[in-house]
Structure formats: structure tokens, C-alpha cells
Amino acid sequence: MSNHYHVVLFVNQQQADGWDLLEVVSRWHRLCKGSALSQRFYRGESLDSAELTRLSEVAKTWKARLTDISWFMRYLNEFIAREANREDQCSGRFWEGRFKSQALLDEKALAACMAYVDLNPIRAKMAETPETSDHTSIKQRILSAKQAQQPTTLLPFVGNPKNPCLQAYRFG
């Protein structure tokens, strides 16, 4: 949309629980510079036990943030705001308010939400059909389906809409 966006997110907490220290540091460094200590660790330099203990404590906070939708939205919105302000050569507040989030607790709710999100450009008269609506997952899914493939950047459709999800999705 031209003045807002919608995302449907899934946090795979089970996968995140299996991350070791290197995986957490690596993922955190994709978002942030990290600390001198984490940079040394990431480069493979040896740390003494006190340094390793301190890094492990900090990494617990980083891991919690990496799996927190509020933190994700904070970083995403900050990036978008900085880019928009840079393009417009201005500064100041970009977003009107905090994001809103809704838990999607079963496949039926997930499908309904995705339909709402993917049909939003059509309702707003920004596109005539789902396959012509820019920046939507339905366009990616249609293009991939025409090649008999699943889009690699999106989770596949699985499950039964009459059964609850094992994990909750979030819509914001």
C-alpha cells in the first residue's frame, strides 16, 4: 500500500531454541554492529571464560529480541523511516502510531488474514487482479505456481483449516 503495509509473520520458536551462541551472534550482526566482544567471537578469536560468559549473557537478550515481533517491527519501521526521510531530505517522525498485531490461532484465521492482505491493493484500486498487485505474497505464489513451484521466500500452505495451528501467526 502507498501509506502503510501489512505483514503476516511466523516466529519459529522451536528453531530459535536450537540456535547456538555463534548462530545468535551471526543473526544479531545482520541487524546490528554488535559489540567488540561479539565481533571478536564472530571472527573466531579465542575468548577467555569470563568473556565467553559475558557474551553468552548478552546473547540471551539478543536471542529474545530476534524472536520478538515488537523488536522486528521496531527495526523494520526504523529502516523504512530513515530511508523515506533520506529520500525526502527531511527528518522527524514518519509513522503516525505504533503497529497493531493480531494473533492468528488457526489455519482458517491465517487464510482469511492473508486474503485480506493480498486483496487490499485490489480494494484500494491499486491493481486489477492479484497477479498484478505489487509487493504481495499472492503475486509471488501465482508466479511460482505457473512454474509448478513453491515460492522459496514464503512458507508453503500446509495444514487443515478445521484444525488449530501448532504455532500462532501474527498479523500486523
Side-chain angles (χ1 to χ4, degrees), residues 76-93:
L76 179 61
N77 287 340
E78 181 180 334
F79 173 78
I80 292 170
R82 286 181 188 273
E83 287 297 305
N85 285 344
R86 184 183 56 76
E87 287 176 15
D88 295 342
Q89 297 179 345
C90 66
S91 63
R93 191 169 174 88

Side-chain angles (χ1 to χ4, degrees), residues 5-144:
Y5 63 92
H6 298 279
V7 292
V8 179
L9 302 170
F10 173 72
V11 176
N12 189 335
Q13 190 63 52
Q14 185 177 6
Q15 180 185 40
D17 289 343
W19 293 344
D20 63 9
L21 181 58
L22 181 59
E23 183 70 23
V24 172
V25 170
S26 172
R27 287 175 180 267
W28 188 257
H29 282 189
R30 292 180 204 164
L31 295 173
C32 303
K33 184 178 178 181
S35 65
L37 187 60
S38 69
Q39 290 173 12
R40 285 179 43 217
F41 174 80
Y42 187 70
R43 288 191 303 262
E45 297 177 21
S46 56
L47 304 179
D48 64 35
S49 63
E51 290 172 321
L52 202 52
T53 299
R54 176 64 186 138
L55 181 59
S56 295
E57 290 170 1
V58 171
K60 284 181 188 176
T61 301
W62 291 351
K63 183 178 182 180
R65 290 177 180 174
L66 286 166
T67 58
D68 184 301
I69 290 174
S70 291
W71 273 87
F72 171 81
M73 294 302 295
R74 175 183 169 222
Y75 275 88
L76 179 61
N77 287 340
E78 181 180 334
F79 173 78
I80 292 170
R82 286 181 188 273
E83 287 297 305
N85 285 344
R86 184 183 56 76
E87 287 176 15
D88 295 342
Q89 297 179 345
C90 66
S91 63
R93 191 169 174 88
F94 182 76
W95 301 103
E96 284 187 25
R98 193 171 188 276
F99 78 97
K100 296 175 181 83
S101 175
Q102 173 67 47
L104 306 172
L105 300 177
D106 60 25
E107 296 286 336
K108 188 174 179 180
L110 176 61
C113 180
M114 291 180 69
Y116 171 84
V117 170
D118 286 332
L119 295 175
N120 217 9
I122 295 167
R123 279 190 299 275
K125 308 237 185 282
M126 296 173 66
E128 289 188 25
T129 64
E131 54 270 16
T132 62
S133 59
D134 292 331
H135 314 295
T136 61
S137 62
I138 194 67
K139 180 178 181 177
Q140 288 181 351
R141 290 185 190 283
I142 290 169
L143 293 176
S144 293

